Amino acid sequence: MSSAGQSPSGSSIKLKKELGLVDGVGIIVGVIIGSGIFVSPKGVLENAGSVGFGLIIWVSSGILSLIGALCYAELGTLIPKSGGDYAYISEAFGALPAFLYLWVGLLVLVPTGNAITALTFAQYILQQLWPVCQPPYEAVRLLAALVTCFLTFINCYNVKWATRLQDVFTGTKVLALVMIIISGLYVMVLGDDDLFSKEPFKGTNTEPGYVALAFYSGLFSYSGWNYLNYVTEELKDPYKNLPLAICISLPMVTIIYVMTNLAYYVVLSPKELLLSSAVAVTFGDKLFGSFSWTMPFFVACSTFGALNGAIFASARLFFVGARQGHLPQAIALINVRRFTPVPSLVFLCIVTVALLFIEDVFILINYVSFVEAVFTLMSICGLLWLRYKKPDAKRPIKVNILLPIIFFIICAFLVILPCYVKPWEVGVGLVIIVSGIPVYYLFIYWKNKPPWLRRIGDKLTILCAKLFMCVLQEDKSS
């Protein structure tokens, strides 16, 4: 392995540009369509109060995600570095805010999301072996850890393998949703039920705080629209392929999501939907009869692909953070044979597997949406600030100023209004963010540390380096 700067021979070592337009679309669609649309669309209906308003939330969430993604396309081509929000916040506001994003990503955003996706995969695979009861706790955790390690190995070994895997499973999950949509349309056209005769807007909840929470649930299912920005350095012709991948992916996902929810609402009553912990499985049980097993299988495929895409993209966040000196330098190494950030991938795998063995890891998801909204708001503030601070900077993509302003206003709405509806979750989210400040000043900003404290940091770096150098040991014998 070698650092991100120089190879042993002195030549520059960088991540290779191996991702084309199809790979970019596969990453965005594959990461967005995870377990959310199959498992719990009920969060939108719960807070929206009615089927009609719920569909409006789904459409609006897709449009908002598209606006955000276009704004990030400008950021991604203005600052063509991997790392996504971390790189943009660093460029606009400096090291401390960027480190806080890295800190929250390290503790909550990335490994928690990956752990929950892996657990969902394991749950739906093993449920077929224990059809009348819950699978054993240990078996679910063990399978989740194994699939996390397997996908980490694939991503370490070959970028092409990882992207081909992503393309295949993206196709599988889209096929599953198309099955749901066609089934719902069949029931709607040939069945006796008419969705629009059921007073679709009855019970609509227009209280601003609950509207924000409904958007949180919708946007959580769209989360991942900015993941291609994490791998900008590996994208071929990013000035063309980044915005094109976004413009293809987000409308596609929005149409699929709205049609899927329409199918759910046609086949299931609001009560059935709210009582279900896995809406797609309930849908399959009611409609597919002896073929109902296909839905758990497709949920497992969907989560497998989403986990692969998340591992591929989010590992670049820690790689870039280490390259900037905000994590041990060993994490910024690149394997000279594979051109993959192996240490960063292994580091992410270790943190994710550790979280798998927290008994109630799902409780952390309550804080993810708020924290993510805070840093998305900060990134959009960075876009507006850089428009003012560097008006003449080269911007291969420059969106209309109204788009970031609209996105800023909506993100501010999503950050502020839930404060009085769920103050506990907001408070814990803020504590997680603020807890990174002393860590930054102690380990990053403070240059004249006592020798004993510096030795601790050096030993940690050496330990990481030794661990990571063993990961692809077979390279030495090949």
Side-chain angles (χ1 to χ4, degrees):
M1 291 193 196
S2 180
S3 72
Q6 299 290 325
S7 70
S9 62
S11 60
S12 179
I13 295 291
K14 295 180 180 179
L15 298 172
K16 295 177 71 176
K17 289 184 178 292
E18 295 191 293
L19 306 179
L21 176 61
V22 174
D23 298 322
V25 172
I27 288 171
I28 296 175
V29 175
V31 173
I32 290 177
I33 302 178
S35 60
I37 189 63
F38 292 102
V39 178
S40 54
K42 67 179 183 179
V44 173
L45 182 60
E46 218 167 29
N47 291 293
S50 70
V51 168
F53 192 44
L55 287 173
I56 291 174
I57 293 293
W58 281 105
V59 174
S60 302
S61 296
I63 294 171
L64 180 61
S65 298
L66 177 59
I67 293 172
L70 291 173
C71 293
Y72 271 57
E74 177 175 329
L75 282 168
T77 51
L78 173 65
I79 308 166
K81 301 176 182 177
S82 293
D85 296 80
Y86 173 79
Y88 313 146
I89 293 170
S90 178
E91 183 76 20
F93 302 119
L96 176 58
F99 175 80
L100 292 179
Y101 176 76
L102 187 68
W103 174 253
V104 170
L106 182 68
L107 286 183
V108 179
L109 296 181
V110 175
T112 298
N114 290 357
I116 289 172
T117 303
L119 287 170
T120 305
F121 168 83
Q123 183 76 29
Y124 279 88
I125 287 290
L126 295 175
Q127 192 68 63
Q128 304 307 302
L129 302 179
W130 284 271
V132 295
C133 62
Q134 286 295 315
Y137 173 90
E138 296 80 4
V140 172
R141 261 58 185 180
L142 180 59
L143 182 56
L146 288 174
V147 73
T148 302
C149 293
F150 171 73
L151 289 175
T152 298
F153 171 77
I154 293 294
N155 278 272
C156 287
Y157 194 78
N158 193 300
V159 169
K160 283 292 183 184
W161 285 13
T163 55
R164 291 295 169 267
L165 198 67
Q166 189 67 19
D167 295 342
V168 169
F169 280 90
T170 296
T172 303
K173 67 182 72 177
V174 170
L175 174 64
L177 292 175
V178 169
M179 283 176 54
I180 292 173
I181 291 168
I182 292 174
S183 302
L185 290 175
Y186 177 82
V187 171
M188 187 166 62
V189 173
L190 299 180
D192 297 327
D193 289 337
D194 181 4
L195 176 67
F196 300 100
S197 68
K198 299 178 181 177
E199 300 182 13
F201 288 93
K202 184 179 180 180
T204 296
N205 187 354
T206 56
E207 188 178 340
Y210 286 96
V211 172
L213 292 174
F215 268 106
Y216 270 4
S217 297
L219 290 171
F220 179 75
S221 291
Y222 282 96
S223 61
W225 51 262
N226 59 336
Y227 266 48
L228 193 59
N229 291 65
Y230 285 4
V231 297
T232 304
E233 293 177 27
E234 295 169 81
L235 191 63
K236 298 173 184 175
D237 195 3
Y239 299 153
K240 174 185 174 184
N241 286 334
L242 179 60
L244 197 53
I246 288 167
C247 290
I248 293 172
S249 304
L250 267 299
M252 181 195 302
V253 172
T254 302
I255 292 169
I256 290 172
Y257 272 14
V258 173
M259 295 299 292
T260 301
N261 277 278
L262 187 62
Y264 287 153
Y265 294 146
V266 167
V267 174
L268 304 175
S269 68
K271 183 177 180 181
E272 287 175 315
L273 196 145
L274 290 173
L275 289 174
S276 174
S277 59
V279 177
V281 176
T282 305
F283 180 96
D285 289 341
K286 189 168 182 178
L287 211 58
F288 294 160
S290 59
F291 290 94
S292 60
W293 60 268
T294 56
M295 277 300 111
F297 171 76
F298 280 128
V299 172
C301 288
S302 177
T303 51
F304 186 87
L307 181 60
N308 178 66
I311 288 172
F312 177 86
S314 57
R316 273 63 179 173
L317 169 63
F318 303 123
F319 164 76
V320 175
R323 192 169 62 182
Q324 295 297 112
H326 287 171
L327 287 174
Q329 287 296 308
I331 297 175
L333 297 176
I334 296 173
N335 184 274
V336 295
R337 290 181 180 270
R338 309 296 178 189
F339 291 94
T340 55
V342 172
S344 180
L345 286 158
V346 175
F347 177 73
L348 174 59
C349 179
I350 292 170
V351 178
T352 301
V353 170
L355 283 178
L356 288 174
F357 296 94
I358 296 176
E359 186 164 355
D360 198 10
V361 68
F362 286 87
I363 198 171
L364 293 175
I365 207 68
N366 295 330
Y367 315 119
V368 168
S369 295
F370 171 77
V371 171
E372 196 165 22
V374 168
F375 284 101
T376 301
L377 178 64
M378 191 177 294
S379 292
I380 293 302
C381 288
L383 172 59
L384 295 170
W385 172 243
L386 290 172
R387 282 279 188 101
Y388 170 76
K389 184 181 176 183
K390 299 180 177 180
D392 299 323
K394 182 183 177 183
R395 289 176 171 83
I397 298 169
K398 188 175 182 179
V399 298
N400 189 295
I401 190 65
L402 288 176
L403 292 183
I405 290 174
I406 291 170
F407 196 68
F408 169 81
I409 292 170
I410 296 175
C411 284
F413 164 82
L414 293 174
V415 167
I416 295 169
L417 287 182
C419 292
Y420 75 92
V421 178
K422 291 193 174 181
W424 173 253
E425 282 82 351
V426 170
V428 172
L430 289 174
V431 167
I432 293 171
I433 295 171
V434 172
S435 67
I437 295 177
V439 176
Y440 171 80
Y441 280 104
L442 185 61
F443 291 101
I444 309 298
Y445 183 79
W446 188 11
K447 302 301 181 185
N448 299 318
K449 301 181 186 69
W452 63 270
L453 188 59
R454 189 178 290 110
R455 282 196 295 271
I456 291 176
D458 292 342
K459 287 180 179 179
L460 179 62
T461 300
I462 292 169
L463 180 63
C464 289
K466 287 181 177 179
L467 175 64
F468 299 146
M469 291 296 284
C470 293
V471 174
L472 291 183
Q473 195 67 33
E474 78 278 0
D475 282 348
K476 292 184 178 180
S477 59
S478 62

